[in-house]
Amino acid sequence: MKETRLIKMLAAGAACAMALSAAFAQDTSTTTSTTTSASDLSGSGTITTYTPGSDYIMFRTETSTAPVKYYYTKQTTLLDPEGHAVEWSMLRPDMPVTYTYRKDGDRMVVTKVTLTKPVSSYEKKETTTTTTTSP
């Protein structure tokens, strides 16, 4: 009787050990999401058209002389060269930029626009020249 009880306990212990080893042997993985994916594309060029309130911006790329239309959304970020957010109202034609976009059907949707020069370098500086002539 003691032998069968011992055999049952050993069998139960072996079953538990096998179950634990199977549980610890399973692979665990962690998935991390980033802002870019394999479907993200990038480009660089110059802004040719931007109208506040519209849903698109046009760039003249380095490889094309004709402007190309890219759509943007509320999630599209606009950054200066240091990575700080910039207001969309600061955009002007002829600003060189780099951008990240993805194709959505037949549309190209911009996810990030980065200015290549600080905004302060685009601010208009007004100078006045006064000339005096003697009679």
Side-chain angles (χ1 to χ4, degrees):
M1 175 111 161
K2 285 186 180 186
E3 287 178 12
T4 55
R5 185 174 177 203
L6 181 61
I7 291 174
K8 287 180 184 179
M9 286 176 57
L10 288 175
C16 287
M18 287 174 45
L20 283 174
S21 66
F24 286 122
Q26 291 181 355
D27 290 335
T28 58
S29 63
T30 304
T31 304
T32 306
S33 176
T34 60
T35 56
T36 59
S37 69
S39 62
D40 284 345
L41 304 167
S42 62
S44 60
T46 305
I47 296 173
T48 59
T49 305
Y50 168 70
T51 305
S54 67
D55 64 344
Y56 70 92
I57 187 170
M58 293 181 77
F59 301 114
R60 179 172 290 115
T61 65
E62 293 177 343
T63 59
S64 172
T65 56
V68 180
K69 183 185 276 189
Y70 294 84
Y71 292 88
Y72 62 91
T73 65
K74 291 180 181 180
Q75 288 77 30
T76 302
T77 56
L78 178 60
L79 305 171
D80 67 5
E82 290 81 34
H84 300 107
V86 175
E87 292 293 321
W88 283 90
S89 61
M90 302 300 285
L91 288 184
R92 303 281 181 268
D94 296 324
M95 289 180 136
V97 296
T98 59
Y99 51 91
T100 304
Y101 68 98
R102 66 177 55 153
K103 291 190 176 193
D104 185 13
D106 60 344
R107 291 178 148 201
M108 292 180 286
V109 180
V110 175
T111 55
K112 181 172 74 169
V113 178
T114 305
L115 303 176
T116 57
K117 295 180 183 177
V119 175
S120 60
S121 66
Y122 298 105
E123 294 176 2
K124 292 183 179 181
K125 295 180 182 177
E126 190 173 318
T127 58
T128 305
T129 306
T130 307
T131 309
T132 338
T133 58
S134 51

